[in-house]
Amino acid sequence: MTVTVICRRDPANRENPEVRVFDYPASDGVSKLGFIKEYAWSLTAATVLTLRALVSGGVDVVQMSSTPDIYFLLAAPLKLFRRRVIFDFKDLSPEIYEARYGRADGLMYKLLRRFERASLRTADHVVAVNASVRSVALHRGGLGANRVTVVGNGPWLADLGNRPPQPELRRGHRHLCVLVGMMGPQDGIDLALQAIDHLVHTIGRTDTAFTFAGIGDYVPEGERFVAARKLSSWVSFPGWLTRDEVYTLLSSADVGLEPNLEEFVTPVKAMEYMAFGLPFVAFDVAETRIIGEGASELVPRGDVVAFAERIDALLDDPARRSALGDTGKQIVHDRLAWDRQQVPYLGVVAHLAHQKFTAAGGTAV
């Protein structure tokens, strides 16, 4: 079986020599018009590269991913040629739009709802990242339960294993707290920074470094907040890190931060923390609780004071940190790792490939 991935260009794209990669230069948008241009460019590039894949080795099953939910425009004609389509349903575009712009109406919001429904209904099968997203697929997409399978996106066990801690990552402080991942306006980074502000200036905790590793639209605003609140001695934004650099950072930290407020989002940050035995503080929202209960300290939704106080308490309690970290590692090993999640996913792919071959009068292998 040959796997071809069509994606934005990135130096890490070719880490796996067994995967054929067709990539294209990124074109990022920030404004609404910028996002439209970005999506148009991505769709055009993906169409050209899909045609290249079709003529240079063939395609039996096509997987399109959210977001943006625009690839049904490409998937629909592929189905005319008996290609089977999987929709990888991870993020809810309408909810992300609402979180970014504070409104759930208007032309753009309505278009996003239509695009989402078209993506769901075009697919032969939907793989949903969690139970909350599966529920959306069933109700907003009007799909039968047999057409939606939950497949999580946990890490490979083979990639895990703590690296030697690097004391210099603490930047001269006694403790280190980290937040790793994309940082958009909807990710609650502002709440994490407000909690740190309270922790430093009100509680008086000045022995801890905070590293926000990653990129995203919110980073410039976060840096302005840090400067305005005179937090630069404690908070840093090092930007994009390689996978090994992230793993070393997680191996060197004491506490992870997960300030997400979206009920439907699978907290990838949390799974990475847990994989490295790193306890974390998070707001008590549905999917975070499902994944991280027993491996984290959960505080009331949006309560930045409680968030700060729980960080403070964890830093003073190494035994509690160790217990939460051990539980998190066990949950990843037993349930969340891709080694476990790949089983239902491969079942979906095999089933669709069988359909494709039998529809063509052939024999599935």
Side-chain angles (χ1 to χ4, degrees):
M1 179 176 67
T2 299
V3 176
T4 301
V5 175
I6 296 172
C7 59
R8 291 157 45 113
R9 190 158 296 158
D10 185 273
N13 283 352
R14 287 169 175 78
E15 288 184 354
N16 188 341
E18 297 181 5
V19 175
R20 184 173 63 163
V21 177
F22 296 158
D23 53 13
Y24 56 90
S27 174
D28 292 323
V30 176
S31 66
K32 293 180 184 179
L33 180 59
F35 283 125
I36 292 173
K37 291 180 178 178
E38 176 188 346
Y39 295 168
W41 162 243
S42 296
L43 180 61
T44 301
T47 300
V48 171
L49 294 175
T50 299
L51 291 173
R52 178 183 170 189
L54 285 167
V55 302
S56 63
V59 173
D60 298 308
V61 179
V62 178
Q63 178 168 316
M64 56 182 185
S65 180
S66 65
T67 58
D69 303 332
I70 55 175
Y71 295 107
F72 68 90
L73 295 169
L74 175 58
L78 287 171
K79 291 188 67 175
L80 295 177
F81 294 94
R82 298 185 183 278
R83 270 57 180 184
R84 300 305 183 193
V85 174
I86 297 172
F87 181 45
D88 183 8
F89 198 23
K90 296 191 293 291
D91 299 309
L92 307 183
S93 293
E95 279 75 2
I96 292 174
Y97 179 88
E98 181 180 358
R100 291 181 69 101
Y101 300 110
R103 56 183 301 179
D105 56 11
L107 177 61
M108 184 60 70
Y109 182 84
K110 292 176 181 178
L111 282 174
L112 291 174
R113 286 289 295 263
R114 287 182 178 273
F115 289 170
E116 176 188 83
R117 183 174 174 82
S119 296
L120 290 166
R121 297 187 69 82
T122 299
D124 294 291
H125 202 92
V126 175
V127 291
V129 73
N130 58 45
S132 298
V133 172
R134 181 178 187 270
S135 179
V136 171
L138 296 178
H139 294 97
R140 292 211 302 236
L143 303 181
N146 63 328
R147 286 182 59 189
V148 187
T149 300
V150 174
V151 177
N153 55 354
W156 271 106
L157 290 177
D159 287 343
L160 306 181
N162 290 62
R163 278 58 170 167
Q166 302 294 323
E168 62 271 19
L169 294 176
R170 299 173 182 268
R171 306 192 301 280
H173 295 284
R174 180 183 177 189
H175 297 294
L176 173 63
C177 296
V178 299
L179 185 149
V180 174
M182 295 298 294
M183 288 180 268
Q186 72 276 11
D187 293 316
I189 309 304
D190 57 331
L191 301 176
L193 290 174
Q194 290 171 35
I196 294 169
D197 184 38
H198 182 83
L199 188 65
V200 171
H201 293 311
T202 302
I203 295 176
R205 182 121 217 168
T206 59
D207 64 350
T208 304
F210 297 86
T211 298
F212 287 68
I215 58 175
D217 297 344
Y218 187 79
V219 171
E221 187 170 343
E223 291 174 330
R224 287 191 292 271
F225 180 91
V226 167
R229 298 299 302 165
K230 296 181 170 53
L231 292 169
S232 301
S233 296
W234 299 278
V235 180
S236 71
F237 289 85
W240 179 261
L241 301 182
T242 66
R243 181 175 61 181
D244 284 339
E245 288 172 333
V246 169
Y247 289 174
T248 298
L249 182 65
L250 295 176
S251 300
S252 304
D254 299 294
V255 174
L257 309 178
E258 173 49 285
N260 168 61
L261 290 178
E262 296 171 296
E263 298 281 351
F264 63 88
V265 170
T266 293
V268 176
K269 297 180 182 68
M271 285 193 288
E272 290 185 333
Y273 301 152
M274 293 163 65
F276 283 84
L278 184 64
F280 64 97
V281 177
F283 293 119
D284 189 1
V285 294
E287 290 298 329
T288 303
R289 186 187 323 113
I290 290 170
I291 284 178
E293 192 166 28
S296 62
E297 294 282 13
L298 301 177
V299 302
R301 180 188 174 102
D303 189 338
V304 296
V305 172
F307 201 97
E309 291 174 344
R310 205 59 61 90
I311 294 171
D312 188 48
L314 261 186
L315 291 174
D316 284 336
D317 191 346
R320 175 67 172 165
R321 296 202 307 270
S322 179
L324 293 174
D326 289 346
T327 298
K329 269 190 170 181
Q330 195 65 47
I331 291 172
V332 170
H333 183 276
D334 293 345
R335 178 165 54 91
L336 300 180
W338 180 246
D339 308 59
R340 316 293 178 229
Q341 297 295 322
Q342 68 174 331
V343 175
Y345 175 73
L346 292 175
V348 169
V349 174
H351 177 68
L352 293 180
H354 176 82
Q355 285 185 338
K356 193 264 183 183
F357 278 107
T358 54
T363 302
V365 294

